[in-house]
Amino acid sequence: MSWIRITNAENIPLREGRSVRLGDDEIAIFNLGDRYVAVDNSCPHRGGPLCDGIVSGDTVVCPLHGWKISLETGAVLKPDVCVKVGTYPVTVEDGIIRVQYSKKKEEKAA
Amino acid sequence: MEELVIVGNGMAGVACLEQILSHAPKFNITVFGDETHANYNRILLSSVLAGERSADDITINSIDWYQRNNIGLRLGVRVSDIDPVERIVRGDDRSITQYDKLLLATGSNPFLPPISGLDKENVYTFRNLDDTRAILQAAAPGVKAVVIGGGLLGLEAARGLQARGCEVTVVHLLETLMNLQLDMTGGSYLQQKMEHLGVRVLTSRVTQRLLGNGKVEGLEFANGELLEADLVVIAAGIRPNAELGRKAGVTVNRGIVVNDHMETSDPRVFAVGECVEHRGQVYGLVAPLLEQGKVLAATITGNKGPKFEGWKPAAKLKVMGVDVFSAGEVEETPDTNAVRYEDPALGVYKKLIIRENRLTGVVLVGDASDSGRYVEWLRTNADLLVRRKSLLFPEPVPDHGQSVAEIPDGETVCGCMGVTKGTIINAIHEKGIRTLAQLKECTRASAGCGSCTNTCQQLLKAVAPEFEEETKKVLCGCLPFTQENLREIIHTQKLKSVQDVLDIYGNGVGCEICKPALSYLVDVVWCGEHAEDRSARFINDRVHANIQRDGTFSVVPRMRGGVTSPAELRRIADVAEKYKVKMVKVTGSQRIDLLGVNKADLPAIWAELGMPSGQAYTKGVRMVKTCVGTEFCRFGVQDAVHTGIELERRLENLYTPHKTKMGVTGCPRNCAEVTVKDIGLVGQEGSWQVVVGGAAGKHVRKADLLITVETTEDALNAAMLFFQYYRENANYLERTYDFVERLGIEKVRKETVYAAEKQKKALLRRLQKSKALSRDAWLERTRPVHPTQFVQIQPMEAYIQ
């Protein structure tokens, strides 16, 4: 478990997401106004880029087929299926976003 | 090699010759033609007369073609005699040509009724190109033209003369027009049609004499009546030209008699075309003659086998504004049923003759759109028992929504989201779903293209115990207002951003449904003077490119009117190579799509293309598809290309409730397919039709006529009025075809083109204001709305796994 310095907080606009490549994986970091959150940047449905979705409260809607994913828990809220994406703790220190990231999502799910 | 001599250079002879050439070479071929023209399409003479085509346009085989195929062509030479014993033909140029095989394709002669004075000036038959040219010389606006003969050819000639500005009267011997192809009722419907088109029709008239001193001045009928005429065209039918058959010593009745293999009574002599009599029948229409040619070619080349077994006569009148079709028997007999449909006000008459559940004849006047179906039934001798109820109407389209019970549980109902009937029913039971919105929310069914919405509704009705029909069309659960209310709220409360609307009138959060809709609404209500919030936009509108299934994007530069240049194409090619674009594809809208582009490359690609955004990713002005129009096309009557480019310039960069596809076409042939566009301009001689609400998507809808106007500027204006009206009144994601259908075209007309001047000006003023504030979205390549708009963020430190 290591905290990785990612980018200046202002690089992620309000209620939008941006993707970041970490090793072989990509995560999506969102600016929810009062906090930042990070999830795997791949929709469990068809792998759509979640960073490009519309933010609705603390959820994001995948731009490909409209799956709705909780940015808090990673759970798929719509449709009614029992899958999750990985979520990662985020902090902002001195205006810099840090993400605690360690494992690939497959390992996490297992 | 044997010597084959063909007498006759018309359609049947040459069509047969082409077939002979497709077999193994066996002959030295010589063709005699008494006209001085190469072979041409005789059935198009009427369109030469009408000015739709030039004489060159109807040439089938040019002189080169004969040379390339080593055919000796003797144009302008009439064969005067045949000696079947010596096997020679004699030309009127005193030539003598030997033959091993002789093919007679001498066609027919115009029938000249017993009328005195046919030798006066300005009296013509209408049979060949020379006749046509002579008639054209004499035809001019205001000339009183009389066509004797109300058959197919006579009526075509009449419309052709009318197109030249003549005052035309058709004089027909019998009681009704086209009496060979139509029954009496059909003939009188046709007469009405012709009269509506401004052609005078006199039936039951026996012409006795042509009057005039040198030049024709009039006609005298047997009943003593007189009719003025400056020009007379005789189209009283044709007679097989069988004279050379007699000279060749073969059996001749009305025409040269042939058997099913197209052989005459002399094994060396063959005949094809209008000069032929087969099983007692003589043909004057082109389709059976081509069929005869095929059979004859097989026989004469030693491949005897195929047979010509007769043809059910079929005729289509090819004059503008008149739909007439006839095939097979036209009169009922005691052993047949006639199925009829008549609407005198519309001028539509249809009759089918049925014997033992099979179609044996059809007459269509006023609407021949179904002729293809009937020809097929005739050809295949189809059993019509199961179709008896829909013989005259389109067969009902099976509607799954009507019988949801028949759908198996495993069948996919929503093809976009892959939801089966079973899944939907389970969800209804387990989650207590009562509304379509809940069903959509829970299963995603009908959340894609929406074409299964009906089926989903039906399933809900059938399965859900407490089904509730949605009464008020609110946008979504985030704010309880209809779009109409929202426009009003945005306007009166002076709300300029999506977040303001959500904070004051909604739940403060919003979702993927209301946010893009509100983004559109604040833009259109404030004519572009709103506070843009990209987070409320779909990704396509954040980066001005269309997201693809793999998360890459597509780039479609604007090519106004579908017109590009070598320099643009070169730049497109360079960009495609440099950025390793995965696919370069021509789109359905006359543009070029670069697929598989990474988001980060978008700004550089736009810069290197140096072309504006084609808005292919957004609900906005997509493109204006055009045909080449008068610029190059020989049929064009309006300048489609420049009108289309102008229309595109006036509206581009604007946003609309849903995508807006447009088209401009330079003549009614409609090559740009504009009648299935949201807005289409159809060029006609001296006017434009402006049509709206067409669709060729999940369903097909023919556009409604908004208005017909004379000038290009008026047409553009009408299009702009409709465009702005649609922007201001349609619901977000409502295509023009749903919008026009919901309101009705009458209402749309009243509030756009027929609105009060003040209202129209206001519409245009708001359009201009929006337009002035709009700009090419791809300019954000140099002035992004946010520094990371297009970039993938690079972590400040490396991640070590």
Side-chain angles (χ1 to χ4, degrees):
Chain A
M1 287 290 206
S2 55
W3 286 91
I4 304 158
R5 290 162 69 231
I6 303 289
T7 191
N8 287 326
E10 61 262 31
N11 277 336
I12 300 176
L14 180 60
R15 292 187 295 270
E16 287 191 38
R18 290 291 182 267
S19 68
V20 182
R21 185 159 269 286
L22 295 175
D24 291 336
D25 303 324
E26 243 182 48
I27 60 167
I29 303 175
F30 293 88
N31 175 355
L32 300 184
D34 54 353
R35 64 195 190 282
Y36 290 78
V37 290
V39 297
D40 289 323
N41 188 31
S42 178
C43 179
H45 177 220
R46 296 276 167 84
L50 295 177
C51 68
D52 288 338
I54 288 178
V55 171
S56 171
D58 57 4
T59 66
V60 67
V61 179
C62 176
L64 294 192
H65 307 98
W67 279 32
K68 188 175 247 183
I69 286 141
S70 164
L71 293 171
E72 292 297 336
T73 64
V76 174
L77 303 178
K78 192 172 88 179
D80 191 14
V81 290
C82 231
V83 274
K84 272 189 169 191
V85 298
T87 58
Y88 309 97
V90 182
T91 59
V92 181
E93 277 172 42
D94 303 327
I96 289 172
I97 295 172
R98 291 159 191 266
V99 174
Q100 192 182 35
Y101 185 80
S102 56
K103 292 175 192 168
K104 294 174 78 169
K105 58 190 174 220
E106 287 82 3
E107 291 158 349
K108 202 181 170 74
Chain B
M1 293 286 243
E2 287 187 295
E3 294 295 328
L4 170 63
V5 170
I6 302 178
V7 183
N9 188 36
M11 291 181 76
V14 177
C16 179
L17 173 53
E18 285 182 359
Q19 293 290 333
I20 291 172
L21 291 173
S22 71
H23 291 272
K26 212 179 158 202
F27 300 111
N28 283 321
I29 303 171
T30 307
V31 177
F32 286 88
D34 61 356
E35 289 188 63
T36 51
H37 319 284
N39 174 249
Y40 59 86
N41 187 338
R42 197 180 299 276
I43 53 177
L44 292 178
L45 283 175
S46 53
S47 63
V48 174
L49 188 61
E52 293 161 6
R53 290 184 168 84
S54 75
D56 288 342
D57 293 339
I58 66 169
T59 301
I60 300 175
N61 300 98
S62 63
I63 305 281
D64 301 353
W65 178 82
Y66 293 90
Q67 286 169 346
R68 279 202 310 278
N69 289 292
N70 289 320
I71 295 162
L73 179 61
R74 312 288 302 279
L75 286 182
V77 180
R78 180 179 291 273
V79 170
S80 51
D81 200 11
I82 293 170
D83 184 336
V85 180
E86 296 290 321
R87 302 207 311 263
I88 52 173
V89 300
R90 292 178 208 278
D92 62 358
D93 59 348
R94 299 192 176 180
S95 63
I96 290 177
T97 311
Q98 187 83 36
Y99 68 81
D100 297 306
K101 297 265 166 69
L102 176 65
L103 170 51
L104 298 174
T106 47
S108 58
N109 292 323
F111 169 66
L112 293 178
I115 300 171
S116 67
L118 287 178
D119 54 350
K120 296 198 190 305
E121 274 177 57
N122 288 346
V123 178
Y124 304 101
T125 54
F126 181 40
R127 183 67 199 146
N128 59 36
L129 206 44
D130 289 335
D131 293 339
T132 310
R133 286 189 171 135
I135 296 170
L136 282 176
Q137 284 279 314
V143 164
K144 293 189 178 61
V146 174
V147 178
I148 299 181
L152 198 58
L153 194 66
L155 295 178
E156 288 180 5
R159 285 291 277 163
L161 287 165
Q162 203 193 15
R164 298 289 175 172
C166 299
E167 290 172 28
V168 186
T169 308
V170 172
V171 173
H172 192 55
L173 187 67
L174 297 172
E175 217 173 314
T176 56
L177 296 175
M178 278 182 76
N179 51 283
L180 286 179
Q181 291 93 3
L182 301 180
D183 60 348
M184 298 269 280
T185 318
S188 54
Y189 268 86
L190 173 58
Q191 178 169 350
Q192 262 181 38
K193 268 264 135 77
M194 295 301 289
E195 284 168 348
H196 278 308
L197 291 166
V199 173
R200 201 172 152 212
V201 179
L202 300 175
T203 55
S204 307
R205 296 296 199 291
V206 182
T207 310
Q208 209 147 44
R209 282 203 293 160
L210 298 188
L211 311 171
N213 191 5
K215 274 192 181 170
V216 71
E217 286 168 14
L219 288 76
E220 185 184 328
F221 299 121
N223 62 6
E225 214 181 332
L226 298 177
L227 176 66
E228 263 187 82
D230 307 317
L231 165 65
V232 173
V233 175
I234 314 259
I238 53 173
R239 293 290 175 266
N241 183 8
E243 189 50 37
L244 286 178
R246 285 193 193 92
K247 288 188 171 160
V250 300
T251 310
V252 174
N253 292 335
R254 268 198 300 161
I256 300 168
V257 176
V258 295
N259 62 15
D260 288 358
H261 296 289
M262 306 306 293
E263 296 161 315
T264 68
S265 58
D266 177 340
R268 293 187 176 275
V269 180
F270 303 82
V272 69
E274 291 177 336
C275 61
V276 157
E277 178 180 324
H278 170 263
R279 297 191 188 178
Q281 191 73 40
V282 175
Y283 295 96
L285 298 163
V286 74
L289 307 186
L290 299 180
E291 192 57 34
Q292 288 181 350
K294 270 187 208 164
V295 172
L296 201 160
T299 308
I300 204 169
T301 54
N303 299 295
K304 188 166 164 179
K307 285 182 176 182
F308 178 73
E309 297 181 286
W311 195 272
K312 291 205 171 116
K316 202 165 195 163
L317 187 60
K318 50 177 192 319
V319 300
M320 246 169 95
V322 190
D323 272 355
V324 174
F325 177 82
S326 139
E329 299 170 34
V330 296
E331 300 291 354
E332 48 267 52
T333 51
D335 63 334
T336 58
N337 297 133
V339 182
R340 284 192 197 78
Y341 173 86
E342 273 190 70
D343 188 330
L346 288 179
V348 174
Y349 173 68
K350 302 180 179 188
K351 180 171 89 174
L352 303 185
I353 297 194
I354 309 282
R355 182 181 288 116
E356 289 167 1
N357 282 321
R358 287 168 212 276
L359 185 66
T360 64
V362 51
V363 171
L364 306 173
V365 181
D367 175 10
S369 53
D370 272 342
S371 60
R373 186 159 71 125
Y374 299 139
V375 168
E376 193 57 22
W377 290 353
L378 277 172
R379 198 182 62 77
T380 58
N381 201 23
D383 186 345
L384 302 174
L385 186 63
V386 293
R387 299 199 181 96
R388 278 309 281 256
K389 282 184 179 167
S390 54
L391 292 177
L392 286 167
F393 306 98
E395 282 168 54
V397 183
D399 180 357
H400 291 297
Q402 284 175 344
S403 52
V404 286
E406 287 171 14
I407 306 172
D409 275 5
E411 191 171 309
T412 303
V413 170
C414 174
C416 299
M417 298 294 167
V419 187
T420 62
K421 178 184 169 188
T423 312
I424 293 174
I425 291 179
N426 276 340
I428 292 172
H429 288 317
E430 285 171 19
K431 311 276 171 186
I433 286 168
R434 285 179 304 183
T435 68
L436 187 65
Q438 289 169 344
L439 182 69
K440 206 188 266 188
E441 174 89 15
C442 176
T443 63
R444 310 298 296 134
S446 82
C449 76
S451 60
C452 64
T453 306
N454 248 334
T455 314
C456 291
Q457 287 267 23
Q458 297 287 345
L459 273 171
L460 271 167
K461 256 187 209 168
V463 179
E466 297 160 66
F467 172 67
E468 282 172 22
E469 234 165 313
E470 277 149 282
T471 44
K472 217 168 45 168
K473 277 258 174 189
V474 300
L475 201 50
C476 64
C478 300
L479 63 179
F481 299 99
T482 63
Q483 294 197 33
E484 211 181 325
N485 289 153
L486 284 170
R487 282 175 201 266
E488 216 177 280
I489 288 170
I490 291 167
H491 190 74
T492 56
Q493 304 304 307
K494 305 223 172 335
L495 303 176
K496 300 222 165 173
S497 78
V498 173
Q499 200 57 46
D500 283 352
V501 181
L502 285 171
D503 284 344
I504 302 169
Y505 290 92
N507 62 2
V509 174
C511 69
E512 79 282 8
I513 295 166
C514 61
K515 280 182 165 186
L518 290 172
S519 297
Y520 172 74
L521 290 176
V522 292
D523 175 2
V524 76
V525 168
W526 297 111
C527 300
E529 281 182 331
H530 61 291
E532 175 71 18
D533 174 4
R534 285 295 160 81
S535 76
R537 298 276 192 187
F538 186 59
I539 183 64
N540 287 9
D541 283 311
R542 294 185 192 170
V543 298
H544 313 301
N546 198 353
I547 194 164
Q548 305 295 309
R549 59 188 308 146
D550 62 352
T552 63
F553 291 86
S554 76
V555 171
V556 182
R558 191 172 287 287
M559 282 179 185
R560 295 183 188 94
V563 177
T564 181
S565 68
E568 277 182 355
L569 290 172
R570 231 169 254 132
R571 294 203 299 272
I572 291 170
D574 288 343
V575 161
E577 281 181 354
K578 180 170 170 188
Y579 293 93
K580 300 190 171 52
V581 165
K582 288 178 192 153
M583 181 185 275
V584 181
K585 188 182 177 311
V586 174
T587 70
S589 57
Q590 301 185 335
R591 300 191 297 188
I592 293 174
D593 198 352
L594 306 175
L595 290 144
V597 171
N598 292 319
K599 192 199 284 175
D601 289 332
L602 290 170
I605 287 180
W606 297 338
E608 286 167 45
L609 286 174
M611 295 164 76
S613 158
Q615 291 185 285
Y617 47 81
T618 192
K619 316 301 177 203
V621 174
R622 287 294 175 90
M623 80 304 179
V624 179
K625 183 172 180 174
T626 69
C627 69
V628 288
T630 45
E631 182 125 342
F632 287 99
C633 176
R634 60 183 197 270
F635 304 126
V637 292
Q638 292 285 3
D639 184 355
V641 167
H642 292 102
T643 307
I645 290 174
E646 180 61 22
L647 182 63
E648 193 159 345
R649 276 190 194 284
R650 290 190 191 186
L651 302 180
E652 67 189 17
N653 300 331
L654 289 170
Y655 294 90
T656 41
H658 207 308
K659 58 188 165 189
T660 305
K661 298 179 170 186
M662 297 183 278
V664 178
T665 200
C667 85
R669 288 173 184 76
N670 192 14
C671 292
E673 297 160 337
V674 308
T675 46
V676 289
K677 297 278 179 253
D678 293 294
I679 300 178
L681 268 55
V682 184
Q684 314 182 114
E685 191 71 57
S687 66
W688 289 97
Q689 282 188 340
V690 181
V691 297
V692 297
K698 68 190 179 199
H699 62 266
V700 179
R701 182 179 192 274
K702 185 171 183 281
D704 291 314
L705 177 65
L706 182 68
I707 195 169
T708 302
V709 291
E710 283 180 13
T711 69
T712 303
E713 189 52 42
D714 285 349
L716 290 169
N717 245 308
M720 287 160 73
L721 285 171
F722 174 79
F723 179 80
Q724 182 65 10
Y725 181 71
Y726 167 61
R727 273 169 41 95
E728 292 181 6
N729 293 282
N731 289 324
Y732 186 66
L733 297 189
E734 184 175 34
R735 286 291 296 267
T736 61
Y737 48 82
D738 290 325
F739 176 65
V740 169
E741 205 152 288
R742 176 164 66 88
L743 269 61
I745 186 69
E746 293 81 12
K747 181 174 162 77
V748 173
R749 277 194 205 114
K750 268 186 216 153
E751 303 203 340
T752 57
V753 290
Y754 295 156
E757 273 315 303
K758 210 174 116 189
Q759 219 177 324
K760 288 202 265 189
K761 275 195 182 132
L763 271 173
L764 292 179
R765 199 172 48 240
R766 291 192 293 273
L767 176 64
Q768 300 311 351
K769 185 177 168 197
S770 292
K771 177 69 184 168
L773 288 169
S774 73
R775 54 185 211 136
D776 170 19
W778 286 1
L779 294 174
E780 286 177 12
R781 61 179 175 254
T782 51
R783 280 192 288 168
V785 294
H786 190 274
T788 60
Q789 185 177 1
F790 302 105
V791 303
Q792 183 174 42
I793 286 173
Q794 297 304 315
M796 290 168 137
E797 61 185 315
Y799 165 66
I800 298 133
Q801 234 156 342

